[in-house]
């Protein structure tokens, strides 16, 4: 079980740009679904990107903490003094290794890199990074020696280095086929180039597929519902529910619309206004927003301020 | 350290490109001896027929008469190319005139050299034929008997002059790449040595790629190998050449020549991955002539060198002939890779495609320089040119110079160019999935060159990817 905690988070566009986050406080635990709603420009996507470590933003104050249990990852026991980590000290890939996943609203298209090779490389990179983050010094030296002895590829260059403990090609293909089946994706996707030429819906489905394979503790999904037709919306929603129900992931679902919340029922709903959480509540809050818009929240927020 | 670990360090891929052997040669033309006397010595040493000597001498005169190219827009600086400093010819100190048949008959140091480049592995992996050139001579080749039975010839060029004299006399630097073509073709014509000769008779398909590997191993030497491929009517062959050179402080010159004759309805693919040391000037002339319904394909990866000027070209001579180019260039600090393609559509219904990709980093410069010429009367011809440049930083440069000379109106011409920096968003996306910054960039580049690697046999794809990986780590220096 992990817990993601944003404490008084302030952020601006890098190199002295516009201030966007103005003290965000938020907590998401594994197994919970949170919806983060709010009008355009309120800072929802920035929150997601700052959590994942996007270089375009600079954090000026506050913390993004991940609290881990000792048995968070298979085979790795996390020492007591390392169970709370400030993500702001880590590179994006290290954050991913700790189990934080960002589902993109506009995922990059990478030509020439097949889905299957990319995802296997990512999975192995993440497992390896985890070991590096938590092993003691002695272990690190052994790891460094092992790296030195790796003199190239054992198989194809497009498949990356083969090292002991890695998920192999055949094993990975099985994992991927199973997850794709759950999401009702065509198996030919495995051989397509990462997001290249994918429709909007396919891209969103692909983001959920990646989460299913990388098994995050916390998944931040940035407007994963935009541009989906009703069938696709259901597939994607099933995938999100499975992340929680089968893998125990905590979900922070960023959305404009109530629509997806009919399928992915949130435990908590937060409204973001002007770079802060202005109001939090249960699933009923989303319905109220759908009916009445955001103005009343704004009025309420400024009255109490 | 255990001997196992020693072994692992020795085969470390970085070291593969840095080591060099003490040179031991049987015959060595002296530096700066680029006169008639030297040419006569080379020709005599090779026991060449009179007509070849005459061609060499004529080429030498043409070389001395022609000026250095200096006025092309954005061309690499050749002012340091000093022909007088080049040793034009070196023969290794072994009796390998006709090549040896068995790998283990080679001297240990040569075996060792190729071992580091992974050639025995390639051989083990059931490649059909390997001809490897060490210095200026073919020292090893292995050809399957069944090809010989079908009349296929694959041997070194010097041997071809002796044993296939009529074919060579007819095709060698006559109507495909004449010595008068450019200054470096003339230089090549005068002092060429070694290379490959491939002859595929009518109706024969050589199913597996024919491979040759060239390597420069002596300081300050020029390498001038000639490749002549003749594919008769309805035949098919894929020829692959790999090149790699260790690093030296003195500059090197490589000026190869490639001539390809594609017969009616024949299909030739010429693939090459070249990695030259950072002080090599790589100035080549490669051309194919394609008869009716014939297909020519050029696949090339140009890595390393201080400056490269290379524009493989095809003359589409017969109706319905097709030409495809896929090229990739990588330029790092202090490098200028000027490469592209030339196609002449001289008949109706001819088609060509050019796909050019370049990567530049740390102030490196890549140019695409291309020419598509469609002659009056080449009706219903079509061409498509696509250039993509990928840059790592703001110091690097990439230019696209796609010349089009269209003299016929009933044609279909398309050109598309994209230039981009490795995108921060792309890198971040991959990082957010667990890849570190370097691996993310490497993956983007591997994807960028994928159209090339997918066309190459796996060993070459591995080597190309490995080379680019090393370039990106900056460990090739």
């Amino acid at each position: 079980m992990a817990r993601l905690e944003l404490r008084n988070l302030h952020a601006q566009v890098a190199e002295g740009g516009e201030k966007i986050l103005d003290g965000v406080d938020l907590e998401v635990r594994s197994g919970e679904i949170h919806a983060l709603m709010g009008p355009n420009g309120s800072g929802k996507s920035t929150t997601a990107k700052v959590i994942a470590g996007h270089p375009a933003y600079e954090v000026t104050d506050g913390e993004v903490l991940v609290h881990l249990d000792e048995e968070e990852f298979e085979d790795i026991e996390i020492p007591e003094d390392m169970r709370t980590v400030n993500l702001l000290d880590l590179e994006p890939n290290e954050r991913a290794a700790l189990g934080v996943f960002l589902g993109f609203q506009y995922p990059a298209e990478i030509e020439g890199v097949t889905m299957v090779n990319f995802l296997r490389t990512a999975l192995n990179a993440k497992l390896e990074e985890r070991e590096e983050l938590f092993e003691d010094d002695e272990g690190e030296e052994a790891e460094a020696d092992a790296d030195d002895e790796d003199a190239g590829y054992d198989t194809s260059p497009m498949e990356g280095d083969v090292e002991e403990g890695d998920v192999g090609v055949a094993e990975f293909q099985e994992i991927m086929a199973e997850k794709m089946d759950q999401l009702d994706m065509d198996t030919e996707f495995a051989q397509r180039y990462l997001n290249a030429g994918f429709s909007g819906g396919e891209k969103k489905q692909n983001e959920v597929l990646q989460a299913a394979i990388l098994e995050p503790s916390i998944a931040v999904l940035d407007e994963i519902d935009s541009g989906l037709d009703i069938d696709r919306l259901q597939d994607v929603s099933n995938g999100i529910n499975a992340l929680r129900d089968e893998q125990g992931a905590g979900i922070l679902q960023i959305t404009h619309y109530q629509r997806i919340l009919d399928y992915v029922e949130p435990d908590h709903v937060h409204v973001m206004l002007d770079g802060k959480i202005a109001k939090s509540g249960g699933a009923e809050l989303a319905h109220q927003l759908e009916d009445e818009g955001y103005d009343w929240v704004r009025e309420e927020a400024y009255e109490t301020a | 350290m255990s001997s196992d670990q020693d072994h692992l360090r020795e085969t470390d891929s970085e070291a593969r490109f840095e080591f060099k052997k003490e040179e031991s040669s049987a015959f060595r033309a002296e530096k700066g001896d680029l006169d008639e006397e030297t040419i006569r010595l080379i020709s005599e040493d090779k026991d060449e027929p009179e007509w070849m000597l005459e061609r060499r001498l004529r080429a030498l005169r043409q070389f001395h008469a022609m000026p250095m190219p200096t006025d092309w827009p954005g061309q690499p600086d050749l002012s340091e190319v000093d022909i007088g400093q080049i040793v034009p010819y070196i023969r290794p100190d072994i009796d390998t005139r006709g090549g040896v048949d068995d790998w283990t008959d080679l001297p240990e140091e040569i075996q060792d050299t190729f071992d580091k480049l992974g050639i025995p592995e390639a051989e083990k992996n059931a490649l059909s034929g390997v001809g490897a050139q060490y210095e200026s001579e073919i020292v090893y080749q292995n050809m399957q008997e069944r090809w010989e039975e079908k009349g296929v010839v694959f041997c070194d060029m010097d041997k071809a002059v002796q044993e296939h004299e009529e074919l060579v006399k007819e095709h060698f630097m006559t109507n495909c790449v004449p010595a008068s073509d450019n200054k470096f073709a003339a230089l090549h014509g005068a002092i060429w040595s070694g290379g490959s000769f491939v002859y595929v008779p009518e109706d024969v398909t050589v199913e597996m790629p024919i491979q040759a590997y060239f390597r420069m191993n002596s300081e300050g030497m020029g390498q001038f190998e000639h490749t002549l491929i003749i594919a008769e009517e309805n035949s098919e062959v894929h020829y692959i050449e790999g090149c790699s050179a260790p690093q030296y402080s003195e500059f090197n010159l490589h000026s190869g020549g490639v001539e390809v004759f594609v017969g009616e309805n024949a299909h030739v693919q010429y693939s090459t991955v070249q990695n030259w040391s950072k002080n090599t000037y790589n100035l080549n002339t490669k051309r194919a002539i394609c008869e009716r319904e014939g297909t020519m394909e050029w696949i090339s990866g140009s890595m390393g060198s201080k400056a490269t000027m290379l524009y493989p070209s095809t003359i589409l001579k017969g109706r319905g002939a097709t030409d495809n180019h896929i090229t990739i260039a990588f330029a790092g600090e202090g490098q200028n890779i000027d490469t592209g393609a030339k196609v002449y559509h001289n008949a109706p219904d001819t088609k060509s495609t050019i796909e050019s990709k370049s990567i530049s980093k740390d102030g490196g410069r890549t140019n695409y320089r291309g020419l598509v010429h469609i002659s009056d009367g080449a009706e219903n011809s079509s061409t498509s040119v696509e250039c993509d440049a990928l840059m790592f930083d703001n110091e690097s440069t990439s230019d696209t110079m796609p010349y089009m000379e269209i003299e016929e109106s009933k044609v279909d011409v398309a050109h598309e160019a994209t230039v981009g920096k490795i995108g921060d968003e792309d890198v971040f996306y991959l990082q957010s999935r667990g890849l570190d910054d370097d691996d993310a960039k490497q993956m983007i580049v591997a994807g960028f060159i994928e159209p090339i690697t997918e066309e190459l046999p796996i060993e070459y794809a591995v080597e190309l990817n490995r080379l680019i990986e090393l370039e990106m780590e900056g460990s090739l220096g």
Side-chain angles (χ1 to χ4, degrees):
Chain A
M1 294 292 284
R3 180 159 57 94
L4 174 72
E5 187 187 1
L6 276 55
R7 276 192 202 162
N8 190 32
L9 188 63
H10 287 72
Q12 61 189 31
V13 173
E15 287 159 25
E18 189 193 351
K19 182 171 165 183
I20 300 176
L21 300 186
D22 187 25
V24 181
D25 290 288
L26 189 65
E27 219 179 293
V28 180
R29 289 164 195 269
S30 300
E32 296 177 344
I33 296 183
H34 291 243
L36 181 61
M37 303 182 76
N40 283 333
S42 56
K44 303 188 300 295
S45 286
T46 301
T47 303
K49 286 177 177 169
V50 168
I51 293 169
H54 196 290
Y57 301 96
E58 199 178 313
V59 172
T60 51
D61 199 7
E63 287 174 315
V64 179
L65 303 175
V66 167
H67 305 280
L68 301 165
D69 284 350
E70 65 184 304
E71 71 280 9
E72 184 74 30
F73 311 120
E74 263 178 71
D75 304 330
I76 299 177
E77 193 176 320
I78 302 172
E80 207 167 331
D81 60 343
M82 296 178 85
R83 288 179 200 161
T84 292
V85 185
N86 188 351
L87 291 187
L88 300 178
D89 298 334
L90 301 178
E91 294 295 317
N93 57 305
E94 294 171 322
R95 301 180 194 206
L98 287 182
V100 177
F101 179 91
L102 173 60
F104 285 64
Q105 188 179 0
Y106 303 108
E109 300 189 10
I110 317 277
E111 287 283 352
V113 175
T114 60
M115 293 272 296
V116 62
N117 286 334
F118 162 65
L119 280 170
R120 195 176 71 88
T121 307
L123 182 60
N124 284 325
K126 178 177 150 169
L127 296 175
E128 198 182 307
E129 187 64 51
R130 256 178 206 175
E131 275 176 33
E132 274 173 33
L133 283 169
F134 293 109
E135 73 199 349
D136 51 30
D137 290 347
E138 220 171 286
E140 269 171 36
E141 279 165 28
E143 182 76 18
D145 282 351
D147 278 354
D148 281 351
E149 288 177 19
D150 172 34
Y153 301 108
D154 286 357
T155 54
S156 151
M158 304 307 285
E159 284 160 5
D161 300 332
V162 174
E163 282 164 31
E164 215 173 317
D166 273 6
V167 179
V169 178
E171 186 189 348
F172 183 76
Q173 272 166 343
E174 248 170 70
I175 296 173
M176 193 163 169
E178 188 197 313
K179 303 288 185 191
M180 282 169 53
D181 187 52
Q182 280 176 7
L183 280 163
D184 204 19
M185 288 173 84
D186 199 319
T187 48
E188 55 108 19
F189 268 82
Q191 297 305 327
R192 283 176 67 179
Y193 294 151
L194 183 55
N195 289 322
F198 283 29
S199 71
E202 286 168 344
K203 283 180 183 168
K204 299 298 161 70
Q205 227 167 354
N206 189 18
E207 293 296 285
V208 177
L209 171 70
Q210 292 183 41
I213 288 170
L214 297 173
E215 301 197 339
S217 310
I218 306 287
V220 181
L221 304 175
D222 191 3
E223 300 205 21
I224 204 89
D225 52 340
S226 65
L228 296 183
D229 62 33
I230 194 73
D231 290 340
R232 223 10 109 41
L233 183 66
Q234 268 179 3
D235 290 338
V236 167
S237 300
N238 291 342
I240 296 169
N241 286 324
L243 284 182
R244 197 242 323 240
D245 300 340
E246 288 167 30
Q247 298 176 7
I251 312 284
L252 179 60
Q253 173 91 53
I254 295 172
T255 183
H256 268 303
Y257 307 105
Q258 164 62 30
R259 200 171 65 140
I260 191 169
L261 303 179
D262 291 338
Y263 302 98
V264 180
E265 199 182 332
D267 304 302
H268 303 276
V269 174
H270 311 278
V271 183
M272 193 163 207
L273 286 178
D274 307 323
K276 339 176 171 184
I277 305 293
K279 189 174 181 66
S280 296
E284 75 290 341
L285 177 56
H287 290 282
Q288 199 180 346
L289 293 169
E290 177 93 337
D291 295 338
E292 303 173 28
Y294 293 107
D295 286 348
W296 66 273
V297 185
R298 190 181 297 275
E299 280 162 25
E300 209 179 278
Y302 287 112
E303 260 167 44
T304 55
Chain B
M1 193 185 281
S2 74
S3 63
D4 272 352
Q5 277 170 317
D6 278 340
H7 176 71
L8 281 163
R9 291 212 190 283
E10 265 174 34
T11 54
D12 177 74
S13 39
E14 184 182 336
R16 293 196 307 167
F17 303 101
E18 283 186 348
F19 75 102
K20 55 189 177 188
K21 291 284 174 190
E22 286 298 309
E23 179 196 318
S24 65
S25 54
F27 177 91
R28 182 183 171 120
E30 288 307 312
K31 261 187 189 179
D33 286 348
L34 201 50
D35 53 18
E36 262 197 48
E37 192 58 23
T38 307
I39 303 302
R40 285 181 191 279
L41 268 173
I42 293 173
S43 189
E44 195 179 319
D45 185 62
K46 292 173 178 296
D47 199 17
E48 284 177 350
E50 188 63 23
W51 61 264
M52 182 54 87
L53 175 62
E54 287 307 319
R55 272 185 211 181
R56 285 181 183 276
L57 292 173
R58 192 171 63 225
L60 181 71
R61 288 191 294 273
Q62 284 165 328
F63 169 73
H64 285 307
M66 273 187 259
M68 290 285 269
T70 52
D71 56 348
W72 297 9
Q75 81 160 70
D77 178 10
L78 300 180
S79 59
E80 279 179 33
V81 177
D82 181 356
I83 308 296
Q85 288 304 306
I86 289 166
V87 179
Y89 176 63
I90 296 172
R91 176 155 51 81
D93 185 18
I94 44 168
D95 188 26
T96 54
R97 273 307 171 77
V100 293
D101 297 325
D102 191 336
W103 181 259
T104 52
D105 288 347
L106 289 172
E108 205 175 321
E109 58 158 37
I110 294 182
Q111 282 188 48
D112 192 35
T113 300
F114 284 110
D115 197 35
K116 290 199 174 175
L117 289 161
I119 294 304
E121 274 87 336
E123 168 73 4
K124 271 180 227 142
N125 291 332
L127 298 174
S128 44
V130 171
Q133 171 157 337
Y134 192 83
E135 312 298 9
S136 310
E137 301 268 345
I138 294 271
V139 290
Y140 172 65
Q141 50 182 275
N142 169 20
M143 206 170 99
Q144 295 199 335
E145 280 178 12
R146 63 190 178 98
W147 293 356
E148 286 175 10
E149 282 165 16
K150 287 178 178 174
V152 175
V153 178
F154 174 41
C155 67
D156 82 82
M157 199 60 223
D158 292 316
K159 186 175 170 183
V161 173
Q162 308 294 339
E163 296 184 7
H164 305 279
E165 190 177 343
E166 285 314 305
L167 276 171
V168 176
K169 192 176 178 182
E170 183 187 341
H171 294 96
F172 188 94
M173 299 194 81
T174 50
N175 51 352
C176 191
V177 179
S180 59
D181 192 81
N182 65 72
K183 190 170 180 74
F184 292 96
L187 176 67
H188 174 87
I191 59 177
W192 76 272
S193 186
S196 301
F197 176 73
V198 177
Y199 176 79
V200 186
E202 240 178 89
D203 300 324
V204 172
T205 296
V206 183
E207 289 97 359
M208 299 178 96
I210 293 184
Q211 315 206 5
Y213 209 98
F214 299 92
R215 182 174 171 79
M216 288 157 79
N217 200 47
S218 292
E219 204 164 336
M221 79 167 276
Q223 186 152 327
F224 309 93
E225 81 285 351
H226 193 93
T227 300
L228 177 57
I229 300 170
I230 303 167
E232 301 282 17
E233 207 173 313
N234 288 321
S235 68
E236 192 171 335
V237 66
H238 181 184
Y239 175 82
I240 297 186
E241 202 173 283
C243 283
S244 179
Q247 301 173 37
Y248 293 103
S249 52
E250 212 173 323
F251 79 89
N252 288 274
L253 173 63
H254 173 252
S255 189
V258 175
E259 299 182 283
V260 184
F261 293 86
V262 184
E264 279 190 22
N265 203 37
H267 186 163
V268 177
Q269 182 175 334
Y270 173 97
S271 305
T272 180
V273 175
Q274 310 204 330
N275 178 46
W276 300 102
S277 64
K278 297 282 171 7
N279 53 5
T280 298
Y281 285 87
N282 187 34
L283 312 165
N284 298 282
T285 310
K286 303 185 178 186
R287 189 171 300 142
I289 296 177
C290 208
E291 304 291 341
R292 188 187 172 96
E293 302 288 334
T295 302
M296 179 66 207
E297 299 191 69
W298 298 96
I299 317 277
S300 41
S302 298
M303 311 268 307
S305 83
K306 182 171 177 59
T308 285
M309 292 174 79
L310 170 61
Y311 326 96
S313 57
T314 300
I315 297 167
L316 297 170
K317 190 178 161 197
R319 180 185 281 268
T322 303
D323 173 55
N324 300 313
H325 285 265
I326 302 179
T327 69
I328 178 160
F330 190 114
E333 192 180 351
Q335 291 179 275
N336 188 346
I337 312 293
D338 194 284
T339 187
K342 288 197 272 186
V343 189
Y344 297 87
H345 290 257
N346 289 351
D349 304 324
T350 48
K351 277 195 208 66
S352 66
T353 61
I354 297 169
E355 199 179 339
S356 163
K357 292 189 175 262
S358 71
I359 302 162
S360 46
K361 94 183 252 275
D362 298 334
R365 172 170 195 157
T366 58
N367 296 344
Y368 168 79
R369 198 184 297 278
L371 171 67
V372 175
H373 179 97
I374 301 185
S375 305
D376 188 12
E379 289 182 359
N380 301 320
S381 291
S382 66
T383 182
S384 146
V385 181
E386 199 183 321
C387 309
D388 299 322
L390 190 62
M391 284 180 284
F392 270 79
D393 44 55
N394 294 328
E395 287 73 50
S396 304
T397 11
S398 182
D399 284 307
T400 300
M401 286 161 274
Y403 297 94
M404 301 263 188
E405 298 171 357
I406 315 292
E407 294 170 356
E408 168 63 48
S409 55
K410 278 182 72 181
V411 294
D412 186 7
V413 176
H415 175 257
E416 195 182 322
T418 66
V419 177
K421 221 179 112 184
I422 282 200
D424 290 342
E425 288 299 323
D426 293 356
V427 173
F428 176 65
Y429 185 70
L430 299 184
Q431 276 186 295
S432 78
R433 299 298 182 257
L435 276 65
D436 66 26
D437 183 62
D438 284 348
D439 288 345
K441 285 177 180 160
Q442 220 144 286
M443 182 167 265
I444 291 166
V445 170
F448 182 73
I449 64 167
E450 204 268 350
I452 309 267
T453 48
E454 75 171 358
E455 294 291 329
L456 293 168
I458 192 72
E459 295 83 4
Y460 284 81
V462 169
E463 174 137 354
L464 183 63
N465 270 285
R466 192 74 191 134
L467 285 170
I468 286 186
E469 214 171 279
L470 290 169
E471 292 280 356
M472 286 171 58
E473 287 164 5
S475 51
L476 280 173

